[in-house]
Amino acid sequence: MFEIEQKYHVDDRESLMERLQAAGALMVSTQQNDDAYYNHPCRDFAQTGEALRVRRVDGVPLVTYKGKKRSGDVKAREELEWRLDPGDVDGQAMERLLTHLGFVKVTTVSKCRQTYHLGSNNDYLTITIDHVPALEVAGRGGLFAEVECVLASDAPTDAEIRVARARVTDTAATLGLTQSESRSYLRMVLET
């Protein structure tokens, strides 16, 4: 799959939730995510724009690889993700494997995530409201929203990416999201 997403700072969660409701968004889940990020032994993912993590969603382990970003203001890149259980019930075996292969654990980023779907069942956008405790700094509450469009193709055309980026930015504007943030949660945590 290919994800097109943009992150925004949120100053007023209640107002955003009201705008989501007014837009017809459907809340689908509230989850705790704990993301253990790893760096490659031979190339620096911070330099290449890639990411590798073991994510635990309410304790359920997944592994995620995010490919290099396409140029543009709204992130666009391939994402590969799959569950590790039942063979690896807590993700520790995958983390041991990564360490044996020379990957280095960078840090773990935790967040509480509320997920909404906006649009038709076959063509919806995902909007998340994330509370990242490690980013509660400088008068900000560590609140963010992400607007994401997922394309089924692993190799979408430039035109498909342009349309998806426009959907993301138009939806963000409709929801009153104006303070975009291009850095990942990992980058922001490392910079605090």
Side-chain angles (χ1 to χ4, degrees):
M1 87 179 150
F2 209 87
E3 69 174 2
I4 314 295
E5 69 179 355
Q6 183 62 52
K7 182 186 294 90
Y8 298 87
H9 290 272
V10 173
D11 292 322
D12 186 345
R13 174 188 222 125
E14 296 306 316
S15 292
L16 175 56
M17 291 172 67
E18 288 171 9
R19 290 189 299 271
L20 282 163
Q21 183 178 10
L26 174 66
M27 185 175 169
V28 294
S29 66
T30 298
Q31 301 170 325
Q32 176 66 35
N33 289 4
D34 298 298
D35 299 338
Y37 286 91
Y38 284 82
N39 202 5
H40 195 280
C42 300
R43 65 181 189 262
D44 185 357
F45 285 163
Q47 297 298 314
T48 64
E50 298 167 279
L52 178 66
R53 71 180 178 220
V54 175
R55 167 172 278 180
R56 291 166 177 91
V57 178
D58 292 336
V60 177
L62 304 101
V63 66
T64 308
Y65 167 76
K66 293 186 176 212
K68 295 178 183 181
K69 299 171 196 162
R70 294 255 190 114
S71 62
D73 291 340
V74 176
K75 285 183 189 174
R77 62 182 172 179
E78 183 178 22
E79 180 178 306
L80 305 172
E81 183 171 66
W82 58 92
R83 285 179 65 150
L84 297 173
D85 63 335
D88 185 1
V89 296
D90 59 8
Q92 288 186 23
M94 175 56 78
E95 291 199 78
R96 279 195 317 277
L97 172 63
L98 292 172
T99 301
H100 287 312
L101 293 175
F103 286 80
V104 177
K105 186 173 181 178
V106 178
T107 194
T108 298
V109 177
S110 298
K111 63 184 169 253
C112 181
R113 169 168 275 185
Q114 288 181 308
T115 302
Y116 296 81
H117 288 168
L118 180 60
S120 69
N121 289 339
N122 297 330
D123 190 30
Y124 62 86
L125 294 178
T126 300
I127 293 93
T128 61
I129 302 174
D130 294 331
H131 175 236
V132 185
L135 296 176
E136 292 178 350
V137 293
R140 292 211 178 248
L143 285 175
F144 300 87
E146 289 185 353
V147 181
E148 178 183 75
C149 178
V150 174
L151 303 177
S153 171
D154 291 339
T157 66
D158 289 342
E160 290 171 319
I161 291 173
R162 255 191 321 277
V163 168
R165 282 178 166 157
R167 286 185 68 202
V168 166
T169 55
D170 291 349
T171 299
T174 298
L175 295 173
L177 299 169
T178 59
Q179 303 174 59
S180 65
E181 175 58 67
S182 61
R183 296 172 297 169
S184 68
Y185 293 129
L186 172 62
R187 173 63 45 214
M188 286 188 280
V189 166
L190 293 176
E191 290 176 357
T192 57

